[in-house]
Structure formats: structure tokens, C-alpha cells
Amino acid sequence: MSYYAGLEFVSIKPEALSERLACPTTQRFIVDGYGPVSVSGRSEVGRILLAHGAGAGHLSDFMRQFAATLSSQGVQVWAIDFPYMQQMNEQGKRRPPPPVKKTVEHFAAWYDLLAALNAGPLWVGGKSMGGRVASLFASERSCEGVVAVGYPFHPPKKPESLRTEHFASIESPMLVLQGERDRFGSREEVAGYDLPASIHINWLTDGDHDFKPRQISGVNQQVLIDEAAIVAASFVRAQLADAARTCSTLV
């Protein structure tokens, strides 16, 4: 039995997805031509296409908790595994992600599929590498907004190698949820960056790249993950309200 079949992922044609959108519980599919996806919650506020980090797929404990809390706030989550991660899971062997351009292309294919469902506003986002992929996509394509969870501003120990040049091309609002001690971009480091006004950063107390704080902080990782998801849902809700007010003033 395959890895995903063992976790009760159901093979489905892309055109059959629209029939499944009303279910509030998490559903797991292998979509022909696209790959694995877990769908959580209803689209009361909007939807988000959520990508994983480089080393762990969308079924990691972090991703599952973040998706569950986000969906409980009315944002329907579509969490995917990229092809290389699918191969890792099926073969049980680690492998590096492909060039980021190829990953962005796969992400864009998922976006086009979900956008065609006409099931509400569609945001993009992801954890670490997934957030970078989502932001690169948003720098090339129009979308509702971006949520980056633990953005990799630079590789560890290489603060000079910034991954922010494309931020200036992102026209949508972008929220970065970042641990204060993130080795891919700490609060102290990011304070010195010249970021566009459309980039909003919410800091998680004493968190590292996976929002794990030190014991002395008095908080724990699970609390910070939930906090990040609630902030993300509030950000999505606020942007939709702003858009609605803008539309009403133009009428």
C-alpha cells in the first residue's frame, strides 16, 4: 500500500473537487495530474493554498496544527505536497527540492485549479520554503494576498544572501509570521531591512524557525502555532473588509 493510500487519501479527478467543498471536516485527495492535498474547513472568510517547507510535507505536526486552527477561524485550507515530497514519502528517502522556479510552476498549477472553482477569495501561503514559493508566485501573478510562516529571509549563517528582492513586485498584502529567534531572519536582523509597506510582520515571542521558544519564555510551541494561525485569519478577514469598504466608496 502506498504512503498516501495508507493515510486514506482518495484518488479524484480535478473536475470532481467542486462537489466536495461543502464538507467541514478534513478531506484528503490525490488529484490526478496534481498530487496530494488535504482540505480543511469551509470557506467562510476565504481560502488559502498552503505549501510546506523544504524538509517536511503538509502532514507534519506543525502544518497540521496550523491548518486546523486556521480552518477553525473560517479560512478553508488547501495544503499540498510538492512532487519531490510525494516521492520522499513514497520511497522513504530524503531528497532535496528542485530549483525553486519549477516548484513555483507546480504551485501555480494548483492555484489555477482552485481559482477556477469560484469558491471564494483565494490566498497563497506556506511554511518556510513554501512561503517563499508563495511570495515568488505573488510577485508574478495577481492574488488576494500572501501568508508566509517562518519566512527564510536568508540561509542560516548567510545574512548577506537576502531573499527579498522580489518583495517590491508583490502588489497584494503579505503577512509574515516570524519567530523572534528565527535563524533564517531574526527580529533584530529584519528590523534593519528596507521592506515595502505592503509587507506586515507579526513576531512570535521567543520562537525559532518552527516557533519553538525557550522554556524560560513561559510559552510553548503549540500556543505560538495557534497564535500565528489566529493572526493569519484575522489578517485575511481585515483585508477582505478593507476591500469591501473600498468597493462601497467607489459605487
Side-chain angles (χ1 to χ4, degrees):
M1 181 179 291
S2 74
Y3 172 85
Y4 292 97
L7 294 173
E8 299 183 344
F9 279 74
V10 178
S11 294
I12 189 172
K13 299 288 185 183
E15 55 270 21
L17 282 175
S18 59
E19 302 173 5
R20 307 293 189 106
L21 297 183
C23 181
T25 59
T26 299
Q27 303 179 89
R28 294 176 172 179
F29 305 113
I30 299 286
V31 182
D32 289 356
Y34 294 86
V37 61
S38 294
V39 188
S40 305
R42 290 194 176 101
S43 178
E44 298 171 2
V45 178
R47 300 173 293 158
I48 186 168
L49 172 59
L50 194 67
H52 56 78
H58 82 270
L59 294 175
S60 69
D61 290 343
F62 184 105
M63 290 287 287
R64 290 174 67 177
Q65 181 181 341
F66 184 81
T69 304
L70 190 56
S71 65
S72 74
Q73 301 295 307
V75 179
Q76 187 179 65
V77 179
W78 293 73
I80 62 171
D81 274 353
F82 290 120
Y84 86 93
M85 182 58 63
Q86 185 176 358
Q87 292 178 15
M88 278 178 54
N89 288 331
E90 294 290 6
Q91 298 171 4
K93 298 179 181 179
R94 294 190 65 83
R95 57 186 298 157
V100 70
K101 182 178 179 180
K102 185 175 182 181
T103 309
V104 172
E105 290 173 354
H106 185 79
F107 189 85
W110 267 109
Y111 182 90
D112 290 340
L113 174 64
L114 301 187
L117 298 178
N118 295 319
L122 179 58
W123 285 59
V124 297
K127 171 75 170 74
S128 192
M129 179 199 74
R132 184 186 178 204
V133 168
S135 68
L136 286 166
F137 168 84
S139 72
E140 301 171 356
R141 299 270 302 273
S142 176
C143 64
E144 293 288 340
V146 186
V147 175
V149 185
Y151 188 82
F153 285 97
H154 60 74
K157 299 182 180 180
K158 294 184 178 181
E160 72 285 354
S161 301
L162 288 181
R163 297 162 171 161
T164 58
E165 184 176 355
H166 64 287
F167 280 9
S169 299
I170 300 176
E171 298 181 355
S172 308
M174 177 172 169
L175 173 66
V176 177
L177 300 156
Q178 198 83 354
E180 290 182 329
R181 298 184 299 108
D182 195 325
R183 62 195 180 104
F184 288 82
S186 67
R187 186 166 193 163
E188 182 179 2
E189 290 173 328
V190 176
Y193 299 162
D194 183 17
L195 300 177
S198 60
I199 309 297
H200 306 265
I201 301 181
N202 186 89
W203 293 100
L204 283 304
T205 302
D206 203 55
D208 64 8
H209 190 57
D210 293 319
F211 299 167
K212 290 181 180 178
R214 293 168 294 190
Q215 188 173 0
I216 195 173
S217 70
V219 294
N220 61 50
Q221 184 188 31
Q222 286 67 40
V223 169
L224 293 184
I225 294 173
D226 282 345
E227 177 185 330
I230 292 169
V231 169
S234 296
F235 186 76
V236 171
R237 194 177 294 110
Q239 298 304 316
L240 290 174
D242 286 346
R245 282 193 293 269
T246 300
C247 288
S248 65
T249 59
L250 295 175
V251 174

